[in-house]
Every structure is written in structure tokens, then in C-alpha cells.
Amino acid sequence: EILGLVFRSWVNIDAELLNNYKNVKNIFRIWVGLDNIDTKLCEDKWIRIINTPGANSDAVADLAIWGTLSLMRKITDINNIDQQNRFEYMWNDLWDKNACIIWFGHVGKKIYQRLVGFWVNSFFVIDPFISKDEVEKHMGCKKYDNIDEIWTKIDILYINLPLNEQTEWYINHQLLGKLNSNVKIINVARWWLVNSDDLYKFLEVNKNAWAYIDTDMNFEELNRLNNCIVTPHIGAMTIEANKKMHKFDIENILDL
């Protein structure tokens, strides 16, 4: 009997792998997402899945705020800012803006906490798994179930969804068509939540709309746009987050 398999990234826990470890009882993932784990297969085999939720949320939220400020100040490459043309960077404050946070979990709450210090005007929260009372006990937050009524009011849209069959391509041409033409979009979750072709067309037409995508995919088209910033999925890449994820995983193993 094998107590458990411990892994970080780029390993698929599927039938092929589990056939080689027939007696495994636990899967320990030093990360948050479970999209590379066949959760249904593990359930059928009575294999427990244990990950490290919350361990990297501060790091991801920090990066989301960096991306937000970069979009609000229209900065794609600060090294190329020309002193003579600095007035083209006269853009927006965060103060008095409306932020929409899709999914109010570990990262969503951390983003909210940071934005409060910037005096963001209001927070629209979309999350079917958290109660209205739980959301609205946070200052300035209001939960929405009928989201169609708020799309045009959003100044900054944060996408924090987990990736699954229901959320894949959540951001598509239908949703983008409801947003205002100068919205700022920040995705520090998984890339497959956003349809890249639809986002490219939206940003190409709406020059005052900007997006920051921390993606684990390489999209050259989006990189060519002046109003899009792309980083290679570095949200959790801090020394502190790495230590916390390993610490949480060790504690999970010892708890057994």
C-alpha cells in the first residue's frame, strides 16, 4: 500500500499513471488547481485528493494588483516611455472605480482587501457558492445573481474562476459584447477561462479597453496588441508562496 503520491505541476493523474500505482491511497498536490487530476477516477478508486488552497493567494493577488495598476496607467513597457510624450500616459486612477470579482474565494478576497486601500468605489461579486450575507459583510461588496444588469457598469473585471467544464471559455464574445468599451480585464487564473480569439477581436476594436493575462499559454497575437499585457503564469512564483505550498503539503501528510 502506498500512502500517497506527491507532485507539483505538469503531471497528469490519470488512468495510465494510476495503473502503475494500484495501491495509492492519497494524491498530494503542491498547488491549488486540480484540472490535471482525473477527480472522477480518483473518486471511483477511493483515492483522496489533498491540495494546498490559499497557500499562494497573497502572491497571486499581489500580481493582480500590479496588473491592474499597469492597465490603469497604460504601461506596457516602462523602459520605453519617452519623457517628451509622457502625456499619452495620462490615464486613470483606481479611486472611485467599480470592480467586479468573479469568484470570491481565497484570491478574490485578497484582491478585494488590497483594492479597498485604493478607495475603489464598489465591488460586484459573482459567486454561486457563497451566500449573500457572507459577501455583503465586506465593505462595499454586493452579490449579484443576475449579472446582465451590471456588465456595463464594470470598470475592472477580475477573473478568479477554477477551471472545469462549466467555466471553460467563460469569457467569450457574448460576455465581452456586454462590457463597456474601456473596461480593464485581469485574469490571474487559468488561461482556458478566456477565449483568446474573442478577446483579441474585442481589444483590437476597443482601443481603450485593456487586458492583463497571466497565462500558462503563449499567445503571440495578444502580445502584439498595445492594450494587452501577458505574463507566463507567474502568479504563484514567489519565494514566500513556494515555501507556504510545501509547508502546507508536509502538514497534510503529517496529519494522516
Side-chain angles (χ1 to χ4, degrees):
E1 182 175 305
I2 300 172
L3 173 64
L5 299 178
V6 181
F7 75 104
R8 175 78 181 251
S9 302
W10 305 116
V11 175
N12 289 320
I13 305 299
D14 53 18
E16 181 180 359
L17 185 143
L18 292 178
N19 282 337
N20 293 322
Y21 299 94
K22 297 183 183 299
N23 297 318
V24 67
K25 297 301 179 185
N26 301 281
I27 300 293
F28 299 95
R29 187 175 188 198
I30 310 172
W31 205 258
V32 176
L34 303 178
D35 44 282
N36 59 338
I37 301 175
D38 189 333
T39 54
K40 179 63 169 62
L41 179 62
C42 289
E43 181 182 346
D44 292 343
K45 290 180 171 290
W46 294 87
I47 298 173
R48 181 163 46 177
I49 301 170
I50 306 170
N51 60 341
T52 57
N56 63 4
S57 56
D58 281 302
V60 175
D62 285 350
L63 189 70
I65 298 304
W66 172 86
T68 304
L69 293 171
S70 298
L71 300 189
M72 299 303 285
R73 299 303 292 267
K74 203 162 63 166
I75 295 173
T76 52
D77 185 355
I78 197 168
N79 291 319
N80 289 329
I81 293 179
D82 185 345
Q83 174 69 16
Q84 301 304 315
N85 297 323
R86 61 194 176 96
F87 283 95
E88 71 176 277
Y89 295 94
M90 188 177 291
W91 207 229
N92 298 119
D93 293 335
L94 268 175
W95 173 80
D96 205 34
K97 299 299 184 293
N98 296 323
C100 177
I101 301 177
I102 301 179
W103 204 269
F104 207 54
H106 291 289
V107 174
K109 288 188 178 73
K110 296 285 187 180
I111 290 173
Y112 159 77
Q113 291 166 1
R114 286 153 173 77
L115 289 174
V116 167
F118 287 94
W119 291 92
V120 168
N121 180 54
S122 58
F123 299 88
F124 311 142
V125 175
I126 300 169
D127 190 331
F129 296 101
I130 187 170
S131 71
K132 179 181 174 70
D133 289 342
E134 175 64 23
V135 168
E136 297 187 358
K137 75 178 184 181
H138 295 85
M139 181 180 67
C141 287
K142 185 174 181 180
K143 181 179 177 179
Y144 285 85
D145 295 319
N146 180 11
I147 56 180
D148 286 341
E149 63 185 284
I150 65 168
W151 288 126
T152 58
K153 302 176 184 177
I154 296 171
D155 298 308
I156 313 165
L157 176 63
Y158 293 93
I159 305 159
N160 308 304
L161 291 160
L163 179 64
N164 54 46
E165 291 181 359
Q166 288 71 43
T167 61
E168 188 174 13
W169 310 138
Y170 183 91
I171 304 297
N172 54 37
H173 73 280
Q174 291 179 324
L175 187 149
L176 290 167
K178 299 173 183 178
L179 298 172
N180 70 66
S181 60
N182 61 353
V183 69
K184 309 300 182 286
I185 300 169
I186 293 94
N187 175 21
V188 289
R190 304 307 296 272
W191 170 252
W192 294 274
L193 300 170
V194 180
N195 184 302
S196 60
D197 292 335
D198 292 348
L199 179 61
Y200 180 89
K201 292 173 184 175
F202 176 78
L203 294 174
E204 189 176 37
V205 171
N206 298 285
K207 300 297 184 182
N208 288 333
W210 279 56
Y212 168 55
I213 309 294
D214 184 41
T215 175
D216 38 11
M217 299 290 285
N218 180 23
F219 288 101
E220 294 182 2
E221 281 193 344
L222 286 172
N223 270 320
R224 288 197 293 267
L225 291 172
N226 291 328
N227 53 344
C228 187
I229 301 173
V230 180
T231 54
H233 207 50
I234 58 174
M237 297 297 107
T238 69
I239 294 169
E240 293 84 357
N242 192 54
K243 286 180 178 178
K244 280 195 284 187
M245 285 188 287
H246 283 82
K247 178 176 180 290
F248 284 15
D249 201 56
I250 292 169
E251 289 174 347
N252 287 334
I253 295 171
L254 293 177
D255 284 345
L256 293 179

